[in-house]
Amino acid sequence: MIAPVRWEDGGLVLLDQTKLPTEEVERAYTSWPDVADAIRTLVVRGAPAIGVAAAFGVVLAARASRATTHAALLADLEEAIKGLAATRPTAVNLFWALDRMRRVVVADADVPPARLRDRLLDEAQAILSEDLAANRAMGAHGATLVPDGARLLTHCNAGALATAGYGTALGVIRAAHERGKLAMVWVDETRPVMQGSRLTAWELVKEGIPHRLISDVAAGFVMKRGEVDLVVTGADRIAANGDTANKIGTYSVAVLARHHGIPFYVAAPSSTIDPSIPSGDTIVIEERDAAEVRGVAGRQTAPAASPVFNPAFDVTPAALISAIITERGVFRPPSARSPRRGRASPPTATPPAPAGITTAPRTRPSRCARAATCSTGRPSRCPSRSIPPSSRSGSRPISPRWPSTRSPRSRPPIRTRPRRRSISSAWPGSSSSPRASPGSRRTRAARRSTSAPPPPPARSTRPRCTWWPARSRGSIPVSIISVRATSA
Ligand code: MRU
């Protein structure tokens, strides 16, 4: 198994990801400033892996400290925590893990420093093993969304390398492959640091999972050719409303997926959810060195004098995300639709908005906006015809009263009945199936029966499609992002 971060012989061992795919080099770390440097320079990268490495950085700081009192140890650790937190700003797992480590010390002032050092090591080990378990659970949940014979596209590396092992998005890929559901994986190379080609492709080769590497700019073309059935990516931070920060280019892929009616899924552990921010607007986006854009693999490919903008991440609005896969199940943000290939719903088939959520009234365009340039020459065949322009651009209005702003305790989340195939789960709370066309008898009947109470939750051993979890593990109170399903 690929283990990018591990504790061995009193030190931290990292697989140097800057050397992949050509060299497999492991490096040992015995001081927290060196660990901070490894995080900053991408020796270890990927949101969960950064969190695990930082936790062991705190262990190293505790071991290096000569403090004999609780207060002195805490002071030394605060310095290390500050230094480790300053390495990368976007992935919330880093701050989540550091906070968890700090609480071990803060929790009990009566514990002697020697025992606290042991407890810190236990906590870092727990963060590592919980992440591994979360990834396997996520893989199992996510695999239910993968149709048989699927051609899946992924961006960046959300694999074993980016986590304690197994991976988030790549965990879903591994699980789907193990179940024989996957035909192949399209791998975006992921400019400018090439995590897709250097790392994801490396993992897939190691696992013998069929894949094809594409340049980022080819993603739209393979989607247009009908060769992508679903997209799964990882996440660096998920806001309370479901907006998701991930590797630069993820937003573009999500827009392309929506345009082509392809489901776009995000796989991330609960530790990636940041309920303290209501939306993605306030996520700090790391900007990296201009040299990453001015060159490829150390070779200059642009004038040294050219000014560069190099954001390492972007934010995909929740409205473009079909579902978020966590270790606790599959969650469908109310603003997202789950488009089915070639069957994007016209405005009249929009799922009913949850009570309290207002969406702007939409009218079907009387004429396709692209009629003049339509390549099909047959408006009835136009691939964009049935998708309202607001959805295509990802600008579907979401009410500022998204349920993250209301108390989750006011009403418990409603769990939806598990479906035979999660990919075609009806909009939660809706009595109509997404398979039904807007004018079909099933849909009309469903509309007539909107006053009927939602079906009771069914008992099942399959992962349930629910709303956000009532509580997360660790310190982040995910309950504040609980949302309730529409009662239609
Ligand atoms: O800059 P990186 O390589 O740390 O960015 C990694 C990503 O964006 C991943 O997709 C994300 O961290 C999820 S990893 C499970």
Side-chain angles (χ1 to χ4, degrees):
M1 193 185 80
I2 301 164
V5 186
R6 63 197 162 82
W7 184 258
E8 198 176 275
D9 298 333
L12 177 65
V13 178
L14 299 176
L15 176 60
D16 186 345
Q17 300 189 33
T18 66
K19 300 288 180 201
L20 292 172
T22 49
E23 289 172 73
E24 289 182 35
V25 178
E26 286 196 326
R27 299 190 189 284
Y29 294 82
T30 51
S31 80
W32 77 258
D34 287 347
V35 174
D37 206 46
I39 295 172
R40 198 177 295 108
T41 58
L42 309 184
V43 168
V44 58
R45 35 66 52 200
I50 293 170
V52 176
F56 283 114
V58 176
V59 175
L60 292 173
R63 293 189 161 207
S65 166
R66 302 236 166 98
T68 52
T69 66
H70 182 271
L73 179 65
L74 186 57
D76 284 349
L77 293 187
E78 289 293 7
E79 189 198 339
I81 288 170
K82 203 170 156 205
L84 289 158
T87 51
R88 300 196 70 189
T90 305
V92 76
N93 309 60
L94 172 64
F95 309 101
W96 172 86
L98 290 172
D99 187 48
R100 213 170 132 169
M101 296 300 283
R102 179 194 280 115
R103 280 186 295 112
V104 169
V105 184
V106 170
D108 202 342
D110 296 331
V111 179
R115 283 226 3 241
L116 278 176
R117 290 183 179 99
D118 292 342
R119 282 196 186 176
L120 284 165
L121 179 57
D122 290 346
E123 189 71 2
Q125 297 279 27
I127 290 172
L128 185 147
S129 51
E130 284 169 23
D131 187 63
L132 198 52
N135 292 338
R136 290 197 176 272
M138 225 179 292
H141 292 312
T144 66
L145 300 170
V146 179
D148 286 337
R151 296 144 316 163
L152 185 155
L153 184 141
T154 192
H155 190 74
C156 191
N157 172 263
L161 290 168
T163 61
Y166 201 71
T168 58
L170 227 149
V172 173
I173 290 169
R174 280 191 165 86
H177 177 68
E178 284 158 16
R179 289 156 178 73
K181 294 175 108 181
L182 206 60
M184 58 88 64
V185 182
W186 292 106
V187 180
D188 281 357
E189 63 180 355
T190 317
R191 272 284 289 155
V193 182
M194 306 298 202
Q195 288 93 335
S197 56
R198 289 191 307 106
L199 309 177
T200 298
W202 179 79
E203 287 196 37
L204 294 175
V205 166
K206 264 194 176 292
E207 295 276 335
I209 298 177
H211 64 281
R212 268 178 111 172
L213 195 56
I214 48 172
S215 61
D216 299 331
V217 285
F221 187 56
V222 293
M223 287 184 188
K224 184 165 182 287
R225 284 162 52 117
E227 295 184 48
V228 180
D229 300 303
L230 73 163
V231 176
V232 186
T233 73
D236 283 83
R237 192 183 291 233
I238 302 174
N241 70 342
D243 289 353
T244 294
N246 192 47
K247 180 52 54 195
I248 189 73
T250 304
Y251 169 61
S252 309
V253 175
V255 171
L256 284 169
R258 173 56 57 91
H259 178 79
H260 293 92
I262 297 165
F264 180 93
Y265 299 114
V266 169
S270 310
S271 54
T272 303
I273 298 170
D274 182 355
S276 72
I277 49 168
S279 79
D281 294 347
T282 52
I283 295 176
V284 178
I285 300 294
E286 175 183 5
E287 284 186 42
R288 294 188 65 86
D289 200 300
E292 288 179 355
V293 176
R294 286 203 198 104
V296 178
R299 186 176 155 262
Q300 193 176 324
T301 55
S306 284
V308 164
F309 174 48
N310 184 17
F313 301 94
D314 58 28
V315 177
T316 299
L320 294 180
I321 298 170
S322 309
I324 296 176
I325 304 156
T326 78
E327 72 276 22
R328 292 165 179 241
V330 176
F331 301 95
R332 295 180 187 274
S335 69
R337 292 187 297 158
S338 185
R340 299 185 68 244
R341 174 152 244 333
R343 294 224 193 161
S345 305
T348 48
T350 300
I357 299 285
T358 54
T359 54
R362 290 197 253 153
T363 51
R364 186 173 184 149
S366 57
R367 180 171 172 273
C368 175
R370 291 185 171 184
T373 54
C374 184
S375 59
T376 66
R378 298 173 65 180
S380 62
R381 287 259 182 105
C382 176
S384 62
R385 179 175 163 268
S386 61
I387 306 174
S390 58
S391 299
R392 287 203 302 271
S393 65
S395 61
R396 181 171 176 250
I398 309 170
S399 162
R401 290 186 61 218
W402 179 285
S404 62
T405 57
R406 70 165 67 91
S407 162
R409 290 176 201 280
S410 58
R411 277 202 209 176
I414 295 172
R415 295 208 160 130
T416 58
R417 186 201 291 270
R419 305 279 164 168
R420 201 162 49 83
R421 290 179 67 211
S422 304
I423 199 164
S424 59
S425 287
W427 183 259
S430 161
S431 51
S432 66
S433 157
R435 284 172 189 276
S437 66
S440 74
R441 263 190 291 161
R442 279 163 72 195
T443 305
R444 284 198 299 273
R447 279 207 206 100
R448 276 199 300 276
S449 67
T450 47
S451 56
R459 288 189 184 280
S460 168
T461 52
R462 289 173 68 85
R464 283 179 297 187
C465 175
T466 61
W467 295 112
W468 298 102
R471 288 206 66 77
S472 79
R473 61 197 169 90
S475 63
I476 298 184
V478 172
S479 58
I480 76 160
I481 60 169
S482 290
V483 292
R484 62 192 165 82
T486 175
S487 55

